[in-house]
Amino acid sequence: MADAPSARKANQMLAALPLLEWRRLEPHLELVELPTGAMLYESGVVLQHVYFPATTVVSLVSSMQDGTSVEVAVVGSEGIVGVCAFMGGGHALSGAVVQGPGHALRMPARSIAWHANRSEALMQQLLCYTQALFTHMAQTSACNRHHALDQQLCRWLLLNLDRRKGSEIVVTHERIANMLGVRREGVTGAALKLQKAGLIQYRRGRMAILDRAGLEERSCECYAVVRRAHDRLLRDAGSRRLASDSGLRASISPIASMLATA
């Protein structure tokens, strides 16, 4: 990940924008490397930056007064971290902590708000992603309340696997327990069930996915609901970009014809 243009291609939201929109945003974007465990912001603070993940994975977490927290959504290269920055309030509704190390493009919160208010294409993209994110958060809340821990673990593993390369996740039982808001012993028991079923292999803080199809079958419906919401987002973004590109070609074509016959 050597430069911003490479990161732009890795982030699906930025890649779906018309080239003209990207060129307007590029001067305000900074490529940053994010280590595991880095707190990008805490709940309630005024957002200073938003992040477009390229190769990193970020957990959105809700914290309690006793210091405990639970993951409400996970964001990877499909989206943006810090949606409140362009929605008027500017205060973070949740915390954001780096779950998997990698690169992201960082933009000042004021800049994203300014560009979103002046670009219909960008605002449309941001609002569509926010809708998918809210679906993600609502389904996670329902899942944590109603489904068995081994199903929650399947959902968590699959959502994280979708946002990483390869079939292995570097994570401890303690960290998963913090994300799911449960005891570590519960995660250990659930992971043991999945390992005995031949779906995963766990060793020394690493979980290797051996049977993804089996993991999806073992998971509750929540993973599929979230996956469909993000898949729909990508399809709609692709359609909008094709329409934008077609419109641009249509506007250029008469000019090109005039030049050719001049």
Side-chain angles (χ1 to χ4, degrees):
M1 193 62 57
D3 51 26
S6 297
R8 181 240 177 173
K9 294 177 182 178
N11 181 273
Q12 297 166 26
M13 178 176 288
L14 293 177
L17 288 174
L19 184 57
L20 180 60
E21 295 297 336
W22 159 252
R23 287 175 175 167
R24 290 170 177 165
L25 295 179
E26 187 175 13
H28 305 277
L29 291 164
E30 173 191 9
L31 184 65
V32 293
E33 186 171 359
L34 302 176
T36 299
M39 179 66 75
L40 302 184
Y41 54 77
E42 296 182 351
S43 176
V45 304
V46 176
L47 291 170
Q48 301 299 317
H49 296 91
V50 298
Y51 297 82
F52 294 90
T55 57
T56 187
V57 179
V58 178
S59 290
L60 304 185
V61 297
S62 179
S63 300
M64 305 294 108
Q65 289 184 349
D66 62 3
T68 60
S69 61
V70 62
E71 183 182 86
V72 295
V74 59
V75 184
S77 62
E78 80 287 350
I80 178 176
V81 178
V83 295
C84 294
F86 60 85
M87 296 181 67
H91 289 77
L93 297 180
S94 65
V97 59
V98 178
Q99 190 66 245
H103 291 86
L105 285 169
R106 182 173 66 185
M107 172 182 275
R110 289 184 178 181
S111 295
I112 191 67
W114 190 90
H115 283 284
N117 285 329
R118 288 158 179 78
S119 168
E120 182 180 350
L122 177 60
M123 179 60 86
Q124 184 70 23
Q125 190 80 342
L126 292 170
L127 290 176
C128 287
Y129 173 72
T130 301
Q131 182 179 2
L133 179 63
F134 284 174
T135 298
H136 187 158
M137 297 172 75
Q139 201 67 37
T140 296
S141 177
C143 185
N144 290 344
R145 176 66 177 84
H146 293 289
H147 293 141
L149 184 50
D150 59 322
Q151 292 179 309
Q152 294 181 45
L153 179 57
C154 289
R155 183 256 304 165
W156 190 90
L157 290 172
L158 288 165
L159 288 174
N160 275 267
L161 196 64
D162 285 347
R163 291 158 176 79
R164 302 170 188 252
K165 290 184 177 180
S167 59
E168 188 174 81
I169 300 175
V170 179
V171 66
T172 64
H173 285 184
E174 184 72 30
R175 193 165 191 83
I176 296 176
N178 290 338
M179 293 297 100
L180 296 180
V182 298
R183 294 168 59 89
R184 182 184 60 79
E185 293 80 3
V187 172
T188 299
L192 186 59
K193 285 183 181 180
L194 299 183
Q195 184 160 269
K196 286 183 176 180
L199 304 179
I200 68 170
Q201 184 179 55
Y202 178 78
R203 63 183 188 282
R204 295 179 180 271
R206 294 176 180 270
M207 279 195 180
I209 310 305
L210 304 180
D211 183 358
R212 182 189 173 102
L215 208 62
E216 291 186 20
E217 185 177 346
R218 184 77 170 253
S219 177
C220 51
E221 70 269 22
C222 298
Y223 168 69
V225 170
V226 175
R227 179 66 183 265
R228 284 197 298 270
H230 286 293
D231 287 348
R232 185 166 56 250
L233 168 70
L234 293 177
R235 288 196 302 271
D236 292 347
S239 298
R240 286 192 299 272
R241 184 173 184 181
L242 286 175
S244 174
D245 291 346
S246 297
L248 179 62
R249 286 194 296 269
S251 65
I252 292 176
S253 181
I255 299 175
S257 298
M258 291 174 61
L259 290 174
T261 57

